[in-house]
Structures are given as C-alpha cells and as structure tokens.
Amino acid sequence: MGPGVVVTGLTLGALAVVSLLAFQASGAQDRAGGARPTTTTAATSTGPVASATPSASATPTVPPLPTSSGSGTRVVYSVSSHYVWLIDPKKNPQVAATFQVSPGTVEPTPGSYSVYSRTPVGTGTDGRQIEHVVRFAQQNGVVFGFSSAMDGSTPTADPKTKTGGIRSGRADGQLLWDFAPNGTKVVVVA
C-alpha cells in the first residue's frame, strides 16, 4: 500500500470524525434549548478545523484572551486561569484554539519566551509517558513546557515534586505541537 493511499485514508477518516462530531453537536444544541455553540478546534492531517460544540453548564466558560498577551503569532498561557490560547493573527478568527491545562507545582514568571526545545515522546517527572513536549523556559533549575500524558490523564502535580510541566489532554497537546515549532513566541501572563 503506497503512502498516497494511507494519507487519503487518514484524511477521509478525519473528515468522517469531524462530520460526525458536527452532526452530534448540532443535535445537542437542539436538545440544550438552542444554546449558542462555541468554537473549538479539532486536528486533522491537513491542520485545525473549526467545529461546533454545545455551550452547556458542564462546559467551562473560556476566559477572554488577556489584553496583555502581546501581538503576533504566539502561545499564551495564563498562570491564574490555567488556560492556553493559540493565536495566529493571519487567520480569522485569530484564536486558533483555547484549552484548559493542569499546571506543574512551579509556575513560570510572566513574560515573553520562545520555544527552544521539542521532544515527541518521553517520561515526565511524575513517571508517566508523555508526548508532544514543547519547552519554552528554564528558571531556578525548573524547566517549563507543555506536554500531554499518553494515557490521556491530566493529574494534579505532586506538591513534593518540583516540576514546571504544564499538561493538556492529548488532542490539545497535538494542536499545540503542530502550532508551536522552535522559535514560536510563548507569552506567560498572570
């Protein structure tokens, strides 16, 4: 089987999943009494695709992008809300994705950084297998970066361990990995 067949199969599979999710979301919207959908993203082999998800009481309210988040293409991380925004000013809307994360036991100092290292897979300080590691800062011996656990968990960090690992779900980790190659600006806000 050639690589073209594999890529075509993956693309068709991704489109089928996105279509199914959009269909389910439209039905859920009707069941929720016509609640307005919010925009999230789903990864496909061709990049992020917007899809609708119902706004419900179980869905956390996404805080607005902090005004102090700078400009240009960037990853924004809020220490207080533990949210990440992926911003691409060349796109409409500029917010490519937003998702909640679980912080490590140490938070990075607010400021502007750049992605300096990426690792596809590894082991976190908690011993879990992780993927999509995107590192952006080192402070007082602590390395700060985003990652996702391969088992899909986002556990609370052990307070006895000094870690700067910021965990997301696997789908969000993939989005960040695809969005933030080395040199991408990371803005940490309070």
Side-chain angles (χ1 to χ4, degrees), residues 14 17 28 34-35 45 51-52 61 67 90 94 104 125 136 140 145 173 176 187 189-190:
V17 169
S45 61
S51 65
T61 302
T67 56
K90 296 177 194 147
Q94 292 184 12
T125 53
F136 62 89
N140 301 319
L176 196 144
V187 178
V189 297

Side-chain angles (χ1 to χ4, degrees), residues 6-182:
V6 172
V7 170
T8 301
L10 289 172
T11 301
L12 290 174
L15 288 172
V17 169
V18 170
S19 297
L20 175 64
L21 291 173
F23 175 76
Q24 288 176 335
S26 67
Q29 179 180 351
D30 294 339
R31 289 188 302 275
R36 298 204 60 212
T38 57
T39 300
T40 60
T41 57
T44 69
S45 61
T46 59
V49 175
S51 65
T53 57
S55 169
S57 60
T59 303
T61 302
V62 176
L65 176 67
T67 56
S68 60
S69 71
S71 62
T73 301
R74 65 203 182 277
V75 175
V76 178
Y77 171 58
S78 170
V79 171
S80 60
S81 70
H82 301 123
Y83 265 86
V84 169
W85 294 262
L86 306 180
I87 309 299
D88 184 349
K90 296 177 194 147
K91 304 274 179 158
N92 186 12
Q94 292 184 12
V95 178
T98 302
F99 49 91
Q100 195 160 24
V101 293
S102 296
T105 57
V106 181
E107 293 278 17
T109 303
S112 184
Y113 305 91
S114 290
V115 173
Y116 69 86
S117 171
R118 294 165 33 106
T119 304
V121 294
T123 303
T125 53
D126 59 1
R128 293 179 191 271
Q129 292 295 20
I130 58 175
E131 63 185 351
H132 303 126
V133 182
V134 177
R135 296 175 198 87
F136 62 89
Q138 294 182 43
Q139 298 167 352
N140 301 319
V142 177
V143 175
F144 294 97
F146 303 101
S147 66
S148 54
M150 293 177 86
D151 66 4
S153 66
T154 54
T156 302
D158 181 354
K160 295 178 277 182
T161 305
K162 194 173 180 181
T163 179
I166 302 165
R167 293 276 171 87
S168 68
R170 291 188 80 185
D172 295 329
Q174 179 72 56
L175 286 172
L176 196 144
W177 176 263
D178 293 342
F179 184 86
N182 282 339

